[in-house]
């Protein structure tokens, strides 16, 4: 019986602090009852006359406050036996009370340790959930903080397989003040349903799944999507809740179909390989384009909004373009979700349509009654010259290079040539496979290390209009990759100065902290791949409709943003309003969304680029300036 009692006692104590408190409370209650019976037997008449209830209360106080009751017993005229028994019971009470205090203290410490581990359930609603951890998280949280500045109570919850204190410190160091947005971190596996439930995803507004920084990143993303779909989305659907939309990215384009199946209809998957490759090629052909895209993708500045404007019903799209002075109308969203970018000017606007516009905020898309001032005599009516074949030099090779070559073959003028210089195994075979599938562009190859100056000196740099420098996008050591890229840039610039070459240089940087070094190396433009991908994911998490719009913008067969010479639109040095530039672009079936001043091309932070200017403001464009237009239709 004793062994069985000890066994059950051990099991009860092993259940944690509540069970231990219950055992101690039971022992104190038993001691109080024993003390009451002893007092009734040994106490003097003065105490006995108080009754059983009073004696029981006195016994309970003796257990809870042993020193005070012991002192009172010695004041009363009681016998020796009474004092001896009360003293023994008091000592036992002191032991039990001190044990209770220790148990409570240990329980509080364990609770605090559990909180520090980040394993408690988050009770939030209409919040943003981030599953996973990578360098992208700092940019995404910063953008979400900026997007939530007009909200009083916003929350972002993070679930990642990292220590909660480390995550809190990293966010505090890299993101800084989060204004009205609270960032709550929890430790867990983003591929396990039980851990995902810690951040209450069923009541979330959106869920972002970040790819981890290892070779099997796509597999981890797909497993997280399966966990979210089978757990969170199915439960929310069965309970009649609004199902949160899911946003993620896939590194390898071949894994895109599997990710779409795993995520289901509520998931928006961005192909990082296609996205960055397209942006790299477009920027290489048009220097400054990455600054335009960055400005549109950031929440701090002018962004793309969809706004209902029923008062425009009956107007044409061409008329609506002039209706907004401080916003730039670029398309129409139909009631069925169809997005028409740069539709024909005669397209009728329906009452159920939404206007797609670039504006400072969603509440600044406001029409005006102002009559636009257009200087028609300053508009250039000559046809734009046909683009001439170009030669492009690609230095380096990574997983995105084949996609970049395909994009260049679609975007470059007919007869263009691309030469590739890289130090990778089987380079000739890789290029040959690309050459067979892309007969419209001529491909050349040189197997050598482009970071070596001798290799660059052997290349005829004077024959190229554009140079792209890429590093190993999948490398773990991003600092080493960027260091080789910077070395290549320095050699290119030195050779350009020595021999008077006029090519433009576009490079991809892996780490945002190397941006200043790239500027010091005089890169004409640079792509911060992780940052731009993070910006697009943050925008999609706030408005999933934008994902379809971004797909249109980055599709070579759809609408594209171009930087065209200003002299194709207005007379050089003529002082005109931007309304005049808009009119000149509409005559070419384009939408003017901004301009770039050549004299400010090296001035930070905008490098001479102005997007969504005040259309009534006067400006004078010279021969080296550019007009930023939305060209093409879908």
């Amino acid at each position: 019986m004793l062994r069985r009692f000890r066994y059950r006692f051990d099991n009860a104590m092993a259940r944690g602090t509540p069970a231990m408190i219950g055992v101690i409370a039971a022992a104190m209650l038993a001691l109080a009852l024993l003390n009451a019976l002893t007092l009734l037997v040994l106490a003097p008449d003065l105490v006995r006359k108080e009754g059983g209830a009073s004696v029981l209360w006195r016994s309970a106080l003796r257990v809870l406050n042993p020193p005070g009751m012991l002192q009172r017993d010695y004041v009363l005229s009681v016998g020796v036996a009474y004092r001896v028994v009360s003293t023994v019971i008091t000592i036992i009470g002191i032991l039990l009370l001190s044990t209770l205090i220790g148990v409570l203290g240990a329980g509080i410490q364990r609770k605090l340790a559990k909180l520090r581990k980040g394993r408690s359930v988050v009770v939030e609603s209409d919040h943003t959930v981030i599953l996973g951890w990578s360098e992208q998280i700092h940019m995404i949280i910063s953008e979400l903080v900026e997007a939530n500045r007009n909200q009083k109570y916003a929350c972002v919850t993070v679930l990642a397989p990292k220590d909660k204190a480390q995550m809190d410190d990293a966010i505090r160091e890299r993101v800084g003040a989060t204004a009205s947005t609270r960032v709550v971190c929890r430790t867990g596996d983003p591929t396990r349903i039980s851990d995902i439930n810690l951040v209450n995803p069923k009541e979330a507004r959106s869920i972002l799944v970040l790819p981890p920084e290892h070779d099997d990143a796509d597999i981890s993303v797909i497993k997280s999507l399966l966990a979210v779909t089978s757990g969170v989305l199915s439960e929310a659907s069965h309970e009649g809740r609004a199902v949160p939309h899911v946003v993620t990215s896939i590194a390898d384009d071949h894994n895109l179909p599997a990710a779409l199946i795993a995520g289901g209809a509520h998931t928006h998957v961005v192909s990082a390989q296609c996205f960055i490759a397209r942006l790299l090629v477009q920027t290489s052909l048009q220097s400054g384009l990455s600054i335009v895209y960055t400005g549109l993708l950031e929440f701090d500045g002018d962004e793309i909004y969809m706004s209902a404007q029923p008062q425009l019903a009956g107007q044409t799209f061409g008329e609506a373009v002039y209706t907004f002075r401080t916003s730039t109308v670029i398309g129409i969203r139909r009631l069925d979700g169809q997005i028409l970018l740069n539709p024909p000017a005669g397209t009728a606007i329906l009452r159920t349509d939404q206007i797609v516009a670039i504006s400072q905020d969603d509440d600044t898309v406001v029409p005006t009654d102002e009559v636009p001032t257009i200087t028609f005599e300053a508009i250039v009516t000559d046809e734009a010259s046909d683009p001439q074949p170009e030669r492009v030099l690609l230095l380096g090779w990574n997983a995105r290079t084949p996609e970049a070559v395909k994009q260049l073959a679609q975007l470059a003028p007919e007869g263009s040539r691309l030469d590739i210089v890289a130090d990778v195994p089987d380079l000739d075979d890789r290029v040959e496979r690309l050459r067979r599938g892309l007969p419209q562009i001529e491909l050349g190859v040189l197997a050598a290390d482009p970071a070596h100056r001798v290799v660059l000196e052997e290349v005829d740099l004077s024959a190229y209009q554009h140079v792209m420098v890429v590093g190993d996008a999948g490398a773990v050591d991003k600092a080493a990759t960027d260091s080789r890229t910077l070395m290549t840039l320095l050699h290119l610039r030195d050779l350009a100065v020595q021999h008077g070459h006029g090519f433009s240089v576009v490079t991809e940087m892996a780490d945002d902290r190397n941006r200043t070094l790239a500027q010091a190396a005089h890169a004409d433009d640079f792509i911060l791949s992780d940052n731009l991908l993070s910006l697009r994911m943050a925008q999609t998490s706030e408005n999933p409709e934008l994902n379809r719009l971004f797909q249109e913008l980055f599709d070579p067969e759809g609408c594209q943003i171009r930087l065209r010479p200003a002299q194709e639109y207005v007379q050089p040095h003529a002082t005109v309003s931007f309304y005049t530039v808009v009119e000149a672009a509409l005559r070419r079936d384009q939408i003017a969304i901004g301009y770039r001043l050549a004299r400010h091309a090296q001035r930070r932070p905008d490098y001479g680029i102005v997007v969504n200017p005040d259309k009534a403001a006067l400006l004078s464009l010279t021969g080296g300036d550019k007009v930023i237009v939305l060209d093409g239709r879908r």
Side-chain angles (χ1 to χ4, degrees):
M1 291 180 61
L2 180 61
R3 288 169 56 192
R4 187 177 297 276
F5 172 76
R6 291 183 59 183
Y7 173 71
R8 292 180 177 177
F9 177 79
D10 292 343
N11 286 341
M13 299 298 284
R15 293 177 181 175
T17 301
M20 297 173 67
I21 293 176
V23 170
I24 295 173
M28 296 179 73
L29 178 60
L31 183 62
L33 292 174
L34 178 62
N35 188 26
L37 293 175
T38 305
L39 290 179
L40 289 175
V41 174
L42 301 176
D45 295 338
L46 179 62
V47 175
R48 194 178 293 112
K49 290 179 181 179
E50 296 180 3
S54 179
V55 172
L56 181 60
W57 174 249
R58 183 193 295 273
S59 301
L61 292 179
R62 184 183 301 281
V63 176
L64 295 175
N65 186 20
M69 295 304 297
L70 183 63
Q71 183 180 6
R72 180 178 179 182
D73 288 341
Y74 277 91
V75 173
L76 297 174
S77 298
V78 294
V80 175
Y82 180 89
R83 291 180 177 177
V84 171
V85 173
S86 63
T87 300
V88 173
I89 293 177
T90 299
I91 293 173
I92 298 175
I94 292 174
L95 293 176
L96 289 176
L97 186 61
S98 61
T99 303
L100 178 62
I101 294 174
V103 169
L104 289 174
I108 293 174
Q109 290 296 328
R110 281 193 293 270
K111 185 64 176 179
L112 292 176
K114 184 178 180 180
L115 291 175
R116 285 193 294 268
K117 290 181 180 179
R119 296 296 296 173
S120 59
V121 178
V122 173
V123 184
E124 296 285 350
S125 60
D126 197 33
H127 56 295
T128 301
V129 172
I130 300 178
L131 302 179
W133 185 276
S134 69
E135 283 296 315
Q136 292 179 259
I137 196 168
H138 307 295
M139 174 62 71
I140 289 178
I141 293 178
S142 298
E143 288 302 304
L144 293 177
V145 169
E146 188 65 33
N148 293 330
R149 284 193 179 275
N150 58 350
Q151 300 183 21
K152 291 184 178 180
Y153 305 104
C155 180
V156 176
T157 61
V158 181
L159 177 73
K162 290 176 64 70
D163 181 72
K164 178 183 183 301
Q166 294 180 357
M167 290 189 285
D168 290 336
D169 292 342
I171 292 173
R172 191 178 303 111
E173 178 183 352
R174 297 285 296 275
V175 178
T178 58
S180 60
T181 301
R182 290 172 291 107
V183 181
V184 180
C185 297
R186 291 292 180 264
T187 301
D189 186 351
T191 64
R192 296 180 58 183
I193 298 177
S194 58
D195 287 358
I196 294 175
N197 288 333
L198 291 176
V199 291
N200 193 22
K202 292 188 297 184
E203 300 185 39
R205 176 175 55 189
S206 61
I207 302 173
L208 288 96
V209 180
L210 299 186
E213 296 177 330
H214 56 68
D215 294 338
D216 297 329
D218 286 354
I219 296 178
S220 298
V221 168
I222 292 174
K223 290 174 65 177
S224 295
L225 291 177
L226 289 172
V228 170
T229 303
S230 60
V232 178
L233 301 186
S234 63
E235 290 182 15
S237 179
H238 291 159
E239 295 175 4
R241 300 176 182 270
V243 179
H245 57 273
V246 184
V247 182
T248 189
S249 66
I250 289 293
D252 190 346
D253 194 40
H254 294 92
N255 296 325
L256 183 60
L260 292 173
I261 294 174
H266 296 277
T267 300
H268 304 271
V269 184
V270 179
S271 173
Q273 180 174 312
C274 291
F275 175 64
I276 301 302
R278 292 170 183 174
L279 187 58
L280 181 65
V281 170
Q282 291 181 16
T283 305
S284 68
L285 298 178
Q286 302 178 89
S287 178
L289 190 58
S290 70
I291 308 298
V292 178
Y293 281 130
T294 301
L296 294 177
L297 290 171
E298 286 180 337
F299 285 103
D300 184 16
D302 292 273
E303 311 147 44
I304 300 177
Y305 295 98
M306 298 181 186
S307 174
Q309 301 288 338
Q311 68 275 18
L312 299 182
Q315 292 189 15
T316 63
F317 178 78
E319 295 171 338
V321 169
Y322 297 102
T323 306
F324 299 85
R325 173 176 171 176
T326 57
S327 299
T328 302
V329 178
I330 61 174
I332 301 172
R333 181 190 181 275
R334 297 297 191 188
L335 184 62
D336 59 359
Q338 182 185 12
I339 297 178
L340 305 176
L341 289 180
N342 187 27
T347 303
I349 299 177
L350 308 178
R351 182 170 295 275
T352 56
D353 289 343
Q354 287 182 313
I355 294 296
V356 182
I358 302 173
S359 189
Q360 187 175 7
D361 207 342
D362 54 354
D363 56 1
T364 59
V365 186
V366 180
T368 178
D369 296 330
E370 179 179 332
V371 179
T373 303
I374 301 176
T375 309
F376 291 97
E377 59 272 16
I379 297 177
V380 175
T381 57
D382 297 337
E383 293 290 334
S385 58
D386 294 331
Q388 298 299 314
E390 296 180 314
R391 294 192 63 178
V392 182
L393 177 64
L394 174 62
L395 302 178
W397 185 283
N398 57 33
R400 299 167 184 158
T401 300
E403 181 64 29
V405 174
K406 295 176 184 177
Q407 296 295 321
L408 184 63
Q410 291 181 287
L411 293 175
E414 186 177 354
S416 298
R417 175 185 174 90
L418 170 66
D419 291 322
I420 303 174
V421 180
D423 185 17
V424 294
D426 303 325
L427 179 62
D428 291 333
D429 295 337
R430 300 186 187 191
V431 175
E432 182 60 30
R433 286 193 293 269
L434 290 173
R435 186 181 289 116
R436 289 196 298 266
L438 302 171
Q440 65 270 37
I441 188 171
E442 186 178 356
L443 295 178
V445 61
L446 173 62
D449 189 352
H452 291 169
R453 184 183 181 92
V454 177
V455 174
L456 296 178
E457 289 176 343
E458 294 177 355
V459 178
D460 184 12
L461 295 177
S462 62
Y464 300 99
Q465 290 82 36
H466 311 287
V467 178
M468 293 186 289
V469 183
V470 299
D472 186 359
V476 177
D477 190 354
K478 295 183 178 181
T481 300
D482 284 352
S483 296
R484 290 178 55 83
T485 300
L486 291 171
M487 183 63 67
T488 305
L489 282 175
L490 290 172
H491 290 323
L492 282 173
R493 278 309 172 198
D494 184 54
L495 292 172
V497 171
Q498 286 187 13
H499 303 287
H501 300 319
F503 53 77
S504 64
V505 180
V506 178
T507 183
E508 178 184 2
M509 305 300 297
D511 193 337
D512 184 32
R513 289 169 289 188
N514 292 322
R515 179 200 303 231
T516 305
L517 300 180
Q519 294 167 348
H522 300 290
D524 294 283
D525 214 338
F526 44 86
I527 305 297
L528 300 172
S529 54
D530 287 345
N531 281 14
L532 290 169
L533 186 60
S534 302
L535 293 175
R536 179 172 173 179
M537 292 176 64
Q539 286 276 0
T540 305
S541 71
E542 291 295 301
N543 184 2
E545 293 284 347
L546 292 178
N547 189 50
R548 187 185 307 172
L549 186 144
F550 292 139
Q551 289 176 346
E552 297 285 346
L553 288 179
F554 292 105
D555 188 346
E557 298 180 357
C559 290
Q560 297 180 37
I561 297 178
R562 302 179 185 274
L563 281 78
R564 303 293 301 168
Q567 64 266 25
E568 293 183 1
Y569 299 88
V570 293
Q571 298 291 340
H573 304 288
T575 301
V576 297
S577 68
F578 196 72
Y579 278 119
T580 304
V581 181
V582 171
E583 172 65 23
L586 279 177
R587 294 184 179 187
R588 300 177 183 270
D589 296 328
Q590 301 169 345
I591 300 176
I593 65 173
Y595 56 88
R596 185 180 194 183
L597 301 178
R599 60 184 179 275
H600 297 158
Q602 298 300 324
R603 183 180 297 180
R604 304 179 197 175
D606 298 324
Y607 302 92
I609 290 178
V610 179
V611 176
N612 186 36
D614 183 350
K615 295 182 179 62
L618 299 179
L619 71 158
S620 178
L621 300 176
T622 62
D625 296 335
K626 304 284 187 179
V627 174
I628 307 172
V629 298
L630 183 64
D631 192 11
R633 289 199 174 103
R634 175 62 71 91

